[in-house]
Amino acid sequence: MTSIAIVGAGPQLGLAIARTFGTQGLNVALISRNRDKLDGLVTTLTAEGITAAAFPADVLDRDALTQALKDAATRFGSIDVLEYSPVGTIGSTTLTTPTATQPSDVQHEMEFQLYGAITATQAVLPAMRETGAGTLLFTTGAGSIDPVPQVANVNAAAAALRNWAINLHKELDGTGIQAAHIGIDVSIGMSVVPGFPTAKPEQISPVYWDLHTTKRDQAELVFSL
């Protein structure tokens, strides 16, 4: 059985990615903090004929995240694809401009984005190395590439994740394991910034399947309209 673990699974992009891979026959492991929301997503996917299960864990709790991924691998036999895209909430994420940014403003985002991604990767990569196959996908907003002053602290951590993911791609070249960064240069589902383009999650999710299947030589793909 082949499986995808979606870390930061949400009702928009996370669900769309789950559907994209699930309809291709992959089992789906959903990981995020809120069990009730996860259970709702599992119910939705199950009703659509997709095999899915919830593994609640906070990405800031490295031990819990590692255990959730191990539990998912035990449940489904293996984790063949990891997709990492945790999304902060209004209450947990402070947005700062470059001049207003304190080290602590970036530190929280580093824990959330980069350190969580590293933790998740360490949990699944050894088994991928053993089989010589696997896919590791890391999502940020396009501010990781072209930052904007209003979200300087978030962009700084996202840029660190992007740098690490592209470097991981280089290290794993020739091993059969694909690592790639996805930069999303649109608002998802609804407009957040006036005049900024908006895309439906279903428009974006095929990008992940392409990187897993036909674009395995690419270290990065930016989705834009």
Side-chain angles (χ1 to χ4, degrees):
M1 295 186 293
T2 55
S3 305
I4 179 173
I6 302 174
V7 180
Q12 295 198 68
L13 184 58
L15 179 58
I17 294 170
R19 283 175 168 146
T20 295
F21 282 79
T23 54
Q24 295 292 336
L26 276 74
N27 298 317
V28 178
L30 301 175
I31 300 171
S32 71
R33 289 173 297 180
N34 191 311
R35 173 174 279 280
D36 289 341
K37 289 182 179 179
L38 285 181
D39 287 344
L41 295 177
V42 169
T43 298
T44 298
L45 292 169
T46 301
E48 296 173 7
I50 295 170
T51 301
F55 301 89
D58 189 331
V59 298
L60 296 175
D61 185 336
R62 295 173 201 168
D63 289 340
L65 177 56
T66 298
Q67 189 61 52
L69 286 162
K70 287 182 178 179
D71 291 344
T74 299
R75 170 71 178 271
F76 292 129
S78 65
I79 297 299
D80 306 280
V81 183
L82 171 71
E83 192 282 316
Y84 187 87
S85 56
V87 178
T89 62
I90 298 298
S92 67
T93 302
T94 300
L95 305 179
T96 62
T97 63
T99 57
T101 299
Q102 299 296 322
S104 58
D105 297 320
V106 179
Q107 180 62 38
H108 174 78
E109 290 302 316
M110 291 290 284
E111 295 276 358
F112 192 66
Q113 298 192 61
L114 178 61
Y115 302 159
I118 292 173
T119 299
T121 300
Q122 293 298 330
V124 302
L125 183 56
M128 291 181 177
R129 284 189 181 276
E130 286 185 9
T131 60
T135 302
L136 304 162
L137 304 174
F138 306 93
T139 304
T140 72
S144 62
I145 304 167
D146 183 15
V148 293
Q150 294 87 342
V151 288
N153 60 320
V154 174
N155 285 172
L161 174 54
R162 173 185 182 247
N163 178 287
W164 180 81
I166 291 173
N167 216 10
L168 180 63
H169 176 92
K170 294 177 180 180
E171 181 185 357
L172 295 175
D173 183 41
T175 66
I177 303 168
Q178 158 73 328
H181 168 253
I182 299 93
I184 299 180
D185 195 20
V186 295
S187 294
I188 302 174
M190 64 171 57
S191 178
V192 177
V193 179
F196 194 66
T198 300
K200 296 179 180 179
E202 294 75 19
Q203 293 175 271
I204 303 171
S205 59
V207 164
Y208 294 82
W209 184 253
D210 290 344
L211 286 167
H212 173 57
T213 55
T214 62
K215 297 182 178 179
R216 296 186 64 81
D217 60 333
Q218 291 190 215
E220 179 172 68
L221 200 155
V222 177
F223 181 92
S224 60
L225 295 176

